Amino acid sequence: MEEITTERVVIIGAGLGALYAALNLAPRPVIVISPEVLGEGASSAWAQGGVAAAMDINDSPEKHALDTVRAGAGTVDINVADMVTNVAKDHILALTRMDTPFDRTEDGGYTLSREAAHSFARVVRVKGDQAGFEIMAALIKQVRQTPSIQVLEGTMAVELLKEGNRISGVVIEDANMPCSNQIRLTTSVVLLAGGGSGGLYALTTNPPRIRGQVIGMAARVGALIADAEFVQFHPTALNVGEDPAPLATEALRGEGAILVNKHGVRFMEPIHEDAELAPRDIVARAIFEQTQAGLNPMLDIRPIQGENVKMRYPALFEACARNNIDPIKAPVPVAAAAHYHMGGIATDTDGHASVKGLWVCGEASSTGLHGANRLASNGLLEALVYARICAQSIVAETPQIIESPQLDVSFEASSEKHNDIEAMNQLRQTMTDFVGVLRNGDGLREALQHIAVLEESQRTNISFINMCATATLIAVSALLREESRGAHERTDFPKTNKLAEKRSQIYLSEALDIRAEISQDTS
């Protein structure tokens, strides 16, 4: 394997957290490992709602933190919630200085949307449902103009390397060549910002490459994983047969869109006092139950007032047009889809993972902010806050490097082949069938047996093994949490257990031991 040594900070991922961290590290030299062309394939670019921040004069960070804690169903780290919400406004202003075109009111203030479980309208948006795309566009422009940042587009990280308890490098390969040689990139500082795990499910809103690889990569070198069982299912993915499923932003319900079934019944009103704006886990389960009952849940945007609704929500109307649906005339079919992973690599308040030399920000991390159920539009906020924190921590704790040569990286075709399409489809269906919106012990044990068999069938495919590691961590953590809380719903343990009101922590080695015991017991 070819080896290249660098003093640059290696950032794995190219979404909001990765690019914002790279900019905050400047002029410290960094290299960004991006599987796609910048702006394509990152979950951040697909985010629709916006960034949550207390910008209204009647709102406050304290109220934002309280909403975060309430939505998180008892397992939010209150200190983290206080810290993140207190600096939220600073990051909105920083993005504004980078020319992010946030929607503005006639008097020049920020247009604010109210989303589920927020007590105020506090989601700062861009062009209705284009927040992620536009924020990313502003960051990409800045990155392209920053000499200290080198971006390796079309490159994928597949494995972390460790000596003792410290990161020593990362293995990279061509992201677009079916079979390429691998390169060992030797480094002592790695920032993981490569997204979550939603793509491990057959029905998801995540970009195709976001399938838990980064979490699995860290877990395989011994990083502690927290809250893995808490996977958020977005209530209103468009149920139109696309993979990934297009998203109907929560801001639509904030403006007055309602949920109905095929009989025209508004089914959320008897379930929760906030109806369509109840916490996401509650709405997702209600939609899932309507789907299971054959009642075809739909989102009706016709109650939204204003002639420019089409202009305010272009992503929704583009997706509907592709599928010959006119949401002005009829409700849109929706389903609950895997959307965001609250769990991930456990980090402290400085963004450190448990392995030295490894920092994490964004959805791959588990900071304690989201608890069992992420408050809407806190995802982009967390990525921004911890990207800066990680950058500041790296600068403070590692030797100062002002100049480092750019890397000359090239790949060649390899004879080794990985035929993992069928295995991937089976893994995603397994997660949807047994580790989805509703779970039970028997199903979780069956899922773990399937995952073990699939992993064994792809022993030389490191990327798939990373995915199986994350899938195993989710399923085992869900099995161990014998209660229902937030996004984690056990039909065999339907009640919330006050004694279990704490974050879960697990190492991959522990999860694999449990998986092996289950497989042995059933063999």
Short mmCIF file of all heavy atoms in Angstrom, two decimals, residues 323-359:
data_model
loop_
_atom_site.label_atom_id
_atom_site.label_comp_id
_atom_site.label_asym_id
_atom_site.label_seq_id
_atom_site.Cartn_x
_atom_site.Cartn_y
_atom_site.Cartn_z
N ASN A 323 -42.92 13.46 -9.86
CA ASN A 323 -43.82 12.33 -9.63
C ASN A 323 -45.27 12.64 -9.99
O ASN A 323 -46.19 11.96 -9.52
CB ASN A 323 -43.70 11.91 -8.15
CG ASN A 323 -42.34 11.33 -7.82
OD1 ASN A 323 -42.08 10.16 -8.11
ND2 ASN A 323 -41.46 12.13 -7.24
N ASN A 324 -45.45 13.65 -10.82
CA ASN A 324 -46.78 14.00 -11.35
C ASN A 324 -47.80 14.26 -10.25
O ASN A 324 -48.96 13.81 -10.31
CB ASN A 324 -47.28 12.89 -12.29
CG ASN A 324 -46.37 12.69 -13.48
OD1 ASN A 324 -45.97 13.67 -14.12
ND2 ASN A 324 -46.03 11.45 -13.78
N ILE A 325 -47.36 15.00 -9.21
CA ILE A 325 -48.24 15.37 -8.11
C ILE A 325 -48.31 16.90 -8.06
O ILE A 325 -47.29 17.57 -8.18
CB ILE A 325 -47.71 14.84 -6.76
CG1 ILE A 325 -47.67 13.30 -6.77
CG2 ILE A 325 -48.56 15.34 -5.60
CD1 ILE A 325 -46.96 12.71 -5.57
N ASP A 326 -49.50 17.43 -7.89
CA ASP A 326 -49.67 18.87 -7.71
C ASP A 326 -50.17 19.13 -6.29
O ASP A 326 -51.36 18.96 -5.99
CB ASP A 326 -50.68 19.43 -8.72
CG ASP A 326 -50.77 20.96 -8.65
OD1 ASP A 326 -50.18 21.54 -7.71
OD2 ASP A 326 -51.44 21.54 -9.51
N PRO A 327 -49.28 19.54 -5.38
CA PRO A 327 -49.69 19.71 -3.97
C PRO A 327 -50.66 20.87 -3.75
O PRO A 327 -51.24 20.97 -2.68
CB PRO A 327 -48.36 19.96 -3.25
CG PRO A 327 -47.43 20.46 -4.30
CD PRO A 327 -47.85 19.81 -5.58
N ILE A 328 -50.82 21.72 -4.76
CA ILE A 328 -51.82 22.79 -4.64
C ILE A 328 -53.23 22.22 -4.77
O ILE A 328 -54.19 22.75 -4.23
CB ILE A 328 -51.58 23.86 -5.73
CG1 ILE A 328 -50.21 24.53 -5.53
CG2 ILE A 328 -52.68 24.91 -5.72
CD1 ILE A 328 -50.08 25.32 -4.26
N LYS A 329 -53.33 21.09 -5.48
CA LYS A 329 -54.65 20.52 -5.76
C LYS A 329 -55.00 19.33 -4.87
O LYS A 329 -56.18 19.04 -4.65
CB LYS A 329 -54.73 20.09 -7.22
CG LYS A 329 -54.64 21.26 -8.21
CD LYS A 329 -54.74 20.75 -9.64
CE LYS A 329 -54.69 21.92 -10.63
NZ LYS A 329 -54.77 21.45 -12.04
N ALA A 330 -53.97 18.62 -4.37
CA ALA A 330 -54.26 17.41 -3.61
C ALA A 330 -53.16 17.16 -2.58
O ALA A 330 -52.02 17.58 -2.77
CB ALA A 330 -54.38 16.21 -4.56
N PRO A 331 -53.48 16.45 -1.50
CA PRO A 331 -52.46 16.11 -0.50
C PRO A 331 -51.37 15.22 -1.10
O PRO A 331 -51.58 14.52 -2.09
CB PRO A 331 -53.26 15.37 0.57
CG PRO A 331 -54.66 15.81 0.39
CD PRO A 331 -54.82 16.01 -1.09
N VAL A 332 -50.21 15.26 -0.44
CA VAL A 332 -49.03 14.53 -0.91
C VAL A 332 -48.81 13.30 -0.04
O VAL A 332 -48.83 13.41 1.20
CB VAL A 332 -47.78 15.44 -0.82
CG1 VAL A 332 -46.54 14.71 -1.30
CG2 VAL A 332 -48.00 16.72 -1.62
N PRO A 333 -48.63 12.10 -0.61
CA PRO A 333 -48.39 10.90 0.21
C PRO A 333 -47.07 10.99 0.95
O PRO A 333 -46.05 11.39 0.38
CB PRO A 333 -48.38 9.76 -0.82
CG PRO A 333 -48.05 10.41 -2.12
CD PRO A 333 -48.62 11.79 -2.06
N VAL A 334 -47.07 10.63 2.24
CA VAL A 334 -45.86 10.70 3.05
C VAL A 334 -45.66 9.41 3.85
O VAL A 334 -46.59 8.62 4.02
CB VAL A 334 -45.91 11.91 4.03
CG1 VAL A 334 -45.87 13.23 3.27
CG2 VAL A 334 -47.13 11.84 4.95
N ALA A 335 -44.42 9.23 4.31
CA ALA A 335 -44.08 8.07 5.14
C ALA A 335 -42.96 8.48 6.07
O ALA A 335 -42.22 9.44 5.82
CB ALA A 335 -43.65 6.89 4.27
N ALA A 336 -42.82 7.75 7.18
CA ALA A 336 -41.73 7.99 8.12
C ALA A 336 -40.46 7.34 7.57
O ALA A 336 -40.45 6.15 7.25
CB ALA A 336 -42.08 7.41 9.48
N ALA A 337 -39.39 8.13 7.45
CA ALA A 337 -38.14 7.65 6.86
C ALA A 337 -36.96 7.96 7.78
O ALA A 337 -36.93 9.01 8.43
CB ALA A 337 -37.91 8.29 5.49
N ALA A 338 -35.98 7.05 7.82
CA ALA A 338 -34.77 7.28 8.62
C ALA A 338 -34.13 8.59 8.16
O ALA A 338 -33.85 8.79 6.99
CB ALA A 338 -33.80 6.12 8.45
N HIS A 339 -33.88 9.46 9.12
CA HIS A 339 -33.49 10.83 8.78
C HIS A 339 -32.21 11.28 9.48
O HIS A 339 -31.32 11.85 8.85
CB HIS A 339 -34.64 11.76 9.15
CG HIS A 339 -34.39 13.21 8.84
ND1 HIS A 339 -34.14 13.67 7.56
CD2 HIS A 339 -34.36 14.30 9.65
CE1 HIS A 339 -33.97 14.98 7.58
NE2 HIS A 339 -34.09 15.39 8.84
N TYR A 340 -32.10 11.04 10.78
CA TYR A 340 -30.99 11.60 11.55
C TYR A 340 -30.64 10.64 12.68
O TYR A 340 -31.52 10.10 13.35
CB TYR A 340 -31.38 12.97 12.12
CG TYR A 340 -30.24 13.72 12.75
CD1 TYR A 340 -29.51 14.65 12.02
CD2 TYR A 340 -29.88 13.51 14.08
CE1 TYR A 340 -28.45 15.35 12.58
CE2 TYR A 340 -28.84 14.20 14.65
CZ TYR A 340 -28.12 15.12 13.91
OH TYR A 340 -27.06 15.80 14.47
N HIS A 341 -29.34 10.46 12.90
CA HIS A 341 -28.88 9.58 13.97
C HIS A 341 -28.45 10.44 15.15
O HIS A 341 -27.43 11.13 15.09
CB HIS A 341 -27.72 8.72 13.47
CG HIS A 341 -27.40 7.56 14.37
ND1 HIS A 341 -26.39 6.67 14.10
CD2 HIS A 341 -27.97 7.12 15.53
CE1 HIS A 341 -26.34 5.76 15.05
NE2 HIS A 341 -27.30 6.01 15.92
N MET A 342 -29.22 10.40 16.25
CA MET A 342 -28.83 11.14 17.45
C MET A 342 -27.58 10.54 18.07
O MET A 342 -26.80 11.23 18.71
CB MET A 342 -29.96 11.12 18.48
CG MET A 342 -31.04 12.16 18.24
SD MET A 342 -32.24 11.71 16.97
CE MET A 342 -33.18 10.42 17.80
N GLY A 343 -27.40 9.22 17.91
CA GLY A 343 -26.22 8.57 18.45
C GLY A 343 -25.02 8.72 17.56
O GLY A 343 -25.09 9.25 16.45
N GLY A 344 -23.89 8.24 18.06
CA GLY A 344 -22.66 8.33 17.27
C GLY A 344 -21.43 8.20 18.15
O GLY A 344 -21.49 7.62 19.24
N ILE A 345 -20.35 8.77 17.70
CA ILE A 345 -19.08 8.69 18.41
C ILE A 345 -19.14 9.64 19.60
O ILE A 345 -19.38 10.84 19.44
CB ILE A 345 -17.92 9.08 17.47
CG1 ILE A 345 -17.94 8.20 16.22
CG2 ILE A 345 -16.58 8.97 18.19
CD1 ILE A 345 -17.30 8.84 15.01
N ALA A 346 -18.97 9.11 20.79
CA ALA A 346 -19.06 9.91 22.00
C ALA A 346 -17.96 10.98 22.01
O ALA A 346 -16.79 10.67 21.77
CB ALA A 346 -18.94 9.03 23.24
N THR A 347 -18.35 12.22 22.27
CA THR A 347 -17.38 13.31 22.32
C THR A 347 -17.55 14.08 23.62
O THR A 347 -18.64 14.15 24.19
CB THR A 347 -17.56 14.30 21.15
OG1 THR A 347 -18.86 14.88 21.22
CG2 THR A 347 -17.40 13.60 19.82
N ASP A 348 -16.44 14.69 24.06
CA ASP A 348 -16.53 15.56 25.22
C ASP A 348 -16.84 16.98 24.75
O ASP A 348 -17.09 17.21 23.56
CB ASP A 348 -15.25 15.50 26.06
CG ASP A 348 -14.01 16.01 25.33
OD1 ASP A 348 -14.14 16.68 24.29
OD2 ASP A 348 -12.89 15.76 25.82
N THR A 349 -16.80 17.95 25.66
CA THR A 349 -17.19 19.31 25.29
C THR A 349 -16.19 20.01 24.39
O THR A 349 -16.48 21.09 23.86
CB THR A 349 -17.41 20.16 26.56
OG1 THR A 349 -16.24 20.07 27.40
CG2 THR A 349 -18.63 19.68 27.33
N ASP A 350 -15.02 19.41 24.18
CA ASP A 350 -14.04 19.95 23.23
C ASP A 350 -14.02 19.17 21.92
O ASP A 350 -13.13 19.39 21.09
CB ASP A 350 -12.64 19.96 23.85
CG ASP A 350 -12.50 21.01 24.95
OD1 ASP A 350 -13.09 22.09 24.79
OD2 ASP A 350 -11.82 20.75 25.95
N GLY A 351 -14.98 18.26 21.75
CA GLY A 351 -15.06 17.52 20.50
C GLY A 351 -14.15 16.32 20.41
O GLY A 351 -14.06 15.69 19.35
N HIS A 352 -13.44 15.96 21.50
CA HIS A 352 -12.57 14.78 21.47
C HIS A 352 -13.37 13.49 21.47
O HIS A 352 -14.35 13.37 22.22
CB HIS A 352 -11.68 14.71 22.72
CG HIS A 352 -10.79 15.89 22.95
ND1 HIS A 352 -11.01 16.80 23.95
CD2 HIS A 352 -9.67 16.30 22.31
CE1 HIS A 352 -10.06 17.72 23.94
NE2 HIS A 352 -9.24 17.44 22.95
N ALA A 353 -12.94 12.53 20.68
CA ALA A 353 -13.40 11.15 20.84
C ALA A 353 -12.54 10.49 21.92
O ALA A 353 -11.60 11.10 22.44
CB ALA A 353 -13.29 10.40 19.52
N SER A 354 -12.85 9.25 22.27
CA SER A 354 -12.09 8.57 23.33
C SER A 354 -10.71 8.12 22.85
O SER A 354 -9.88 7.74 23.67
CB SER A 354 -12.88 7.38 23.86
OG SER A 354 -13.11 6.42 22.83
N VAL A 355 -10.47 8.14 21.55
CA VAL A 355 -9.17 7.80 20.98
C VAL A 355 -8.39 9.09 20.75
O VAL A 355 -8.91 10.04 20.15
CB VAL A 355 -9.33 7.04 19.65
CG1 VAL A 355 -7.97 6.71 19.04
CG2 VAL A 355 -10.14 5.76 19.87
N LYS A 356 -7.16 9.15 21.21
CA LYS A 356 -6.36 10.37 21.09
C LYS A 356 -6.09 10.70 19.62
O LYS A 356 -5.90 9.81 18.80
CB LYS A 356 -5.04 10.21 21.84
CG LYS A 356 -5.21 10.12 23.35
CD LYS A 356 -3.87 9.94 24.04
CE LYS A 356 -4.05 9.85 25.56
NZ LYS A 356 -2.76 9.64 26.27
N GLY A 357 -6.08 11.99 19.34
CA GLY A 357 -5.84 12.44 17.97
C GLY A 357 -7.07 12.43 17.10
O GLY A 357 -6.99 12.74 15.91
N LEU A 358 -8.24 12.11 17.70
CA LEU A 358 -9.47 12.00 16.93
C LEU A 358 -10.51 12.96 17.49
O LEU A 358 -10.86 12.90 18.67
CB LEU A 358 -10.01 10.56 16.99
CG LEU A 358 -11.20 10.22 16.09
CD1 LEU A 358 -10.83 10.37 14.62
CD2 LEU A 358 -11.69 8.79 16.37
N TRP A 359 -10.98 13.86 16.63
CA TRP A 359 -12.06 14.78 16.96
C TRP A 359 -13.26 14.47 16.07
O TRP A 359 -13.10 13.91 14.98
CB TRP A 359 -11.63 16.23 16.73
CG TRP A 359 -10.72 16.82 17.76
CD1 TRP A 359 -11.07 17.66 18.79
CD2 TRP A 359 -9.29 16.66 17.87
NE1 TRP A 359 -9.96 18.03 19.53
CE2 TRP A 359 -8.85 17.43 18.99
CE3 TRP A 359 -8.33 15.95 17.15
CZ2 TRP A 359 -7.52 17.50 19.38
CZ3 TRP A 359 -7.00 16.01 17.54
CH2 TRP A 359 -6.61 16.78 18.64
#
